[in-house]
Amino acid sequence: LEEYKFDGFRFDGVTSMLYHHHGINMAFTGDYNEYFSEATDIDAVVYLMLANSLIHNILPDATVIAEDETGMPGLGRSVSEGGIGFDYRLAMAIPDKWIDYLKNKSDEEWSMKEISWSLTNRRYTEKCVAYAESHDQAIVGDKTVAFLLMDKEMY
């Protein structure tokens, strides 16, 4: 923050830190027992709380964003409120929904109900960063949204 003049941090892979099972093969439904159990890695939660406290103590206007796919309650609430201290969480389901629709559905099959749900399914007291495309698609060898839409005609 001081040396390189960063104005914030994006913590990647927070899901893998929050739980001993790393979120692998888990389907989180919103049941609080899924978030607060012996599967929760308390040491990681405390580390993230301390990291966020430190960042905000050094630079109060810093922006800290968590990449979490589970919807962990309190992730995007301040430590003083009992949260983990992130300012924002990434709305991970949105880019996945667009890729799914572009790859697997004709225009006529698009469901406004499903799209609306993906865009609004979040904890209303926690701020989110919504985005149309994620670098995760490129990492796993998938096409970008632009390539799914234009393909070779792009060139």
Side-chain angles (χ1 to χ4, degrees), residues 42-123:
I42 302 300
D43 292 336
V45 171
V46 171
Y47 163 77
L48 291 169
M49 292 171 75
L50 290 170
N52 281 305
S53 292
L54 178 66
I55 291 167
H56 286 107
N57 283 337
I58 292 172
L59 186 63
D61 292 330
T63 300
V64 189
I65 303 170
E67 181 198 51
D68 169 47
E69 298 182 27
T70 69
M72 166 64 93
L75 187 72
R77 301 303 294 177
S78 69
V79 174
S80 65
E81 295 176 335
I84 298 178
F86 288 95
D87 299 301
Y88 295 89
R89 65 169 71 238
L90 290 178
M92 302 293 293
I94 296 171
D96 293 339
K97 180 59 69 181
W98 292 129
I99 293 294
D100 175 50
Y101 269 51
L102 290 169
K103 286 177 67 174
N104 303 313
K105 296 183 186 286
S106 68
D107 292 352
E108 295 76 22
E109 295 175 302
W110 286 35
S111 165
M112 288 307 296
K113 180 179 178 182
E114 285 183 12
I115 293 170
S116 297
W117 175 252
S118 290
L119 291 171
T120 60
N121 181 23
R122 59 184 172 83
R123 299 192 181 281

Side-chain angles (χ1 to χ4, degrees), residues 2-20:
E2 292 172 348
E3 181 69 24
Y4 296 103
K5 308 299 183 222
F6 291 141
D7 59 359
F9 289 96
R10 175 186 176 272
F11 282 67
D12 191 61
V14 170
T15 300
S16 66
M17 294 177 68
L18 292 173
Y19 310 99
H20 294 292

